[in-house]
Amino acid sequence: MIKTISTTPYTDQKMGTAGIRKKSKIVTQPNYIENFVQSLFDAIGGVEGQTFVLGGDGRYFNDIAIQKIIKISAANGMKKLIVGQNGLISTPASSKVLLKNHADGGLVLSASHNPGGENGDFGIKYATKSGGQCSSKISDAIYARTKEITSYKIFDAADVDLSRIGTQKMGDMEIEVIDPIKDYVEMMEGIFDFAAIKKLFKSGFKFAFDSMNAVTGPYALKIFEEILGAPKGSVRNFIPKPDFGGLHPDPNLIYAKHLVDEMYSDNGPDFGAANDGDGDRNMILGHKFFVTPSDSLAILTDNYKLIPGYKNGIFGVAKSAATSTAVERVAKALNIGYYEVPTGWKYFCNLMDSNRITFCGEESFGTGSSHIREKDGIWAVLFWLNIIAATGKSVEQITRDFWKKYGRSYYLRFDFEGIDTAVADKLMADLEEKLPSLNGKTLGNYQVLNAAPFVYNDPVDGSSTKNGLIIRFTDGSRIVYRLSGTGTNGATLRVYLEAYEKNNFDEEPLKMLQGVAQIAMEVAEISKRTGKTNADVTT
């Protein structure tokens, strides 16, 4: 019942920060999924006798791909697959299930915040037994294998019924279909003060949570409406759809504009939040007020003592290099560990496993803690609700109190999308060569303190990673350049702008960052090299 199928390698299956991410029409090509999964299994030394977690965010082609993976797993001698009911599981929940069951690995079928549907994107994330992303060494080995694969194994059997919770068999492999929500809810109940949040909702607190027709809809309904008592209708777009109902499931001011408009209306809710496709990203809004992800990480860290699950203290905090320096000031004030890492959640995992940090986050709307090894959108929302319940203050009051205490980092990210890869690579290479000549120079109204590539030396495994270029100014302002690994159409150049302000907290970020933005464009010759005079997306 095991077939060996001859195949031809695809040359484009190089993994990004968490897995492979491609256009849906690419992955539906013959043997594309089969090649990648078999190559992954081969590169990690096989999966015979192992247990994996499997599920996805419900996007287009998930159902077909999951059945393929089940059959390839059985053919390769896997002992057990733990699969979310109907093939659904959020990335945070999959990490919890993996850790709870001491599984050997996990596959989450998601392209995260990218759009879905037949003309959208598809992805597969691979998690190791730590519950988090694999190392670059492993992903490089997988890529190498994809370029030389000549055959794959697959079990010749009917599709598995994933609608029914319980245990099934495929050959010698056990398939356990689980409620993908249960373990996650129990974990959240063990961290946060649900009684206080229930009381908050009973007081008439108005709440809006947008699941963007993605995987956290069922989780949000269960937690916020059924358990915590938020008014019915508080959770919107809660049915996962293959094309996300036409929404782009990226929880930011651009793609969640429908929620932003509601929050900025005169009678808008007191608190609003949104999650992305697989549930690991979050956006936080107060009434007529937006909290940047950089500020959110810093505020959560500053208020950790209000949360029952962290009442005994935290080890430290880490941020990606592109994230603003706000949390660095908090770490210094709290006298806790502080680390700055490259973009990519896998860089946080060593720090969590070695008890160096408890909290971590990225400017790209991802925040999390060591309760799992992934970022966690609903966790961040519950954290904010717990702070509000404990202090009686609004989102805006909490944020402004934070600025008064630590100052404000005005912050924006400019995305220049769809750039020819060769052009983008040349831009970054030439800019890196130019950086040393900028040290000590005055650019506009700013003096350069230091201009250099960002290099991270992992304190746990001793590895060294170069990721992006940073220009630091003497007044605390910064420019960070890096190429994104999450796009599927050409290269995306991301430029991060930051200006530190101790007293003036009420200006528009674009106004405060205008001078830094002009320097960023000119130094990198962005318009000259790409033809773009403005960013495609500003967040």
Side-chain angles (χ1 to χ4, degrees), residues 40-68:
L40 191 158
F41 289 170
D42 291 346
I44 63 175
V47 294
E48 187 172 353
Q50 294 189 5
T51 297
F52 264 55
V53 176
L54 176 63
D57 61 10
R59 68 177 58 225
Y60 176 79
F61 201 62
N62 260 15
D63 52 350
I64 296 172
I66 285 174
Q67 295 290 347
K68 290 176 182 286

Side-chain angles (χ1 to χ4, degrees), residues 120-382:
D121 298 335
F122 181 92
I124 302 177
K125 295 182 177 183
Y126 167 54
T128 66
K129 65 173 59 179
S130 73
Q133 300 168 8
C134 70
S135 67
S136 298
K137 182 179 179 180
I138 295 174
S139 62
D140 288 346
I142 295 169
Y143 179 46
R145 180 59 181 155
T146 66
K147 293 187 291 184
E148 63 185 22
I149 189 171
T150 59
S151 65
Y152 63 86
K153 294 178 180 179
I154 191 163
F155 209 87
D156 186 11
D159 286 352
V160 176
D161 180 4
L162 298 180
S163 67
R164 177 169 53 88
I165 291 176
T167 300
Q168 304 173 51
K169 295 280 284 188
M170 181 173 287
D172 293 330
M173 185 179 76
E174 179 183 343
I175 303 163
E176 183 185 2
V177 179
I178 65 165
D179 177 349
I181 300 173
K182 181 177 179 292
D183 289 337
Y184 182 82
V185 170
E186 290 177 356
M187 178 172 61
M188 293 299 103
E189 289 175 326
I191 296 173
F192 299 106
D193 187 347
F194 271 35
I197 301 173
K198 285 181 183 179
K199 187 176 180 181
L200 176 69
F201 283 134
K202 281 185 178 179
S203 72
F205 186 80
K206 292 188 291 184
F207 173 73
F209 183 92
D210 194 337
S211 295
M212 303 189 82
N213 297 316
V215 76
T216 56
Y219 293 82
L221 274 179
K222 181 70 175 180
I223 293 172
F224 297 121
E225 292 193 12
E226 294 181 27
I227 296 176
L228 294 174
K232 189 173 181 179
S234 295
V235 178
R236 292 83 184 273
N237 297 316
F238 54 80
I239 299 175
K241 298 179 180 179
D243 64 348
F244 304 116
L247 295 178
H248 186 148
D250 194 351
N252 60 40
L253 298 172
I254 305 298
Y255 296 120
K257 189 177 183 299
H258 51 285
L259 176 63
V260 175
D261 289 344
E262 181 183 1
M263 294 302 301
Y264 276 78
S265 65
D266 288 342
N267 295 314
D270 301 298
F271 182 93
N275 278 176
D276 70 334
D278 64 331
D280 60 0
R281 300 186 183 213
N282 72 93
M283 177 173 67
I284 302 297
L285 296 159
H287 184 228
K288 298 186 178 182
F289 195 84
F290 167 65
V291 183
T292 70
S294 295
D295 276 351
S296 183
L297 171 63
I299 290 167
L300 300 189
T301 304
D302 194 43
N303 288 278
Y304 79 85
K305 292 181 181 179
L306 300 176
I307 309 303
Y310 306 111
K311 63 183 178 182
N312 293 326
I314 61 175
F315 293 113
V317 64
K319 73 173 189 71
S320 66
T323 302
S324 92
T325 56
V327 77
E328 181 179 1
R329 298 190 288 276
V330 176
K332 184 177 180 180
L334 297 179
N335 194 29
I336 58 174
Y338 167 75
Y339 298 85
E340 191 173 60
V341 307
T343 296
W345 209 258
K346 60 188 174 185
Y347 296 104
F348 295 127
C349 292
N350 276 351
L351 299 174
M352 289 189 280
D353 291 343
S354 60
N355 290 334
R356 284 174 165 83
I357 65 168
T358 302
F359 297 155
C360 48
E362 298 177 329
E363 55 71 37
S364 53
F365 295 80
T367 329
S369 87
S370 55
H371 65 287
I372 54 173
R373 294 299 182 268
E374 287 282 357
K375 46 187 173 280
D376 190 343
I378 287 179
W379 171 88
V381 175
L382 286 168

Side-chain angles (χ1 to χ4, degrees), residues 455-466:
V455 178
Y456 176 63
N457 297 309
D458 193 301
V460 181
D461 62 23
S463 63
S464 184
T465 305
K466 185 169 71 173

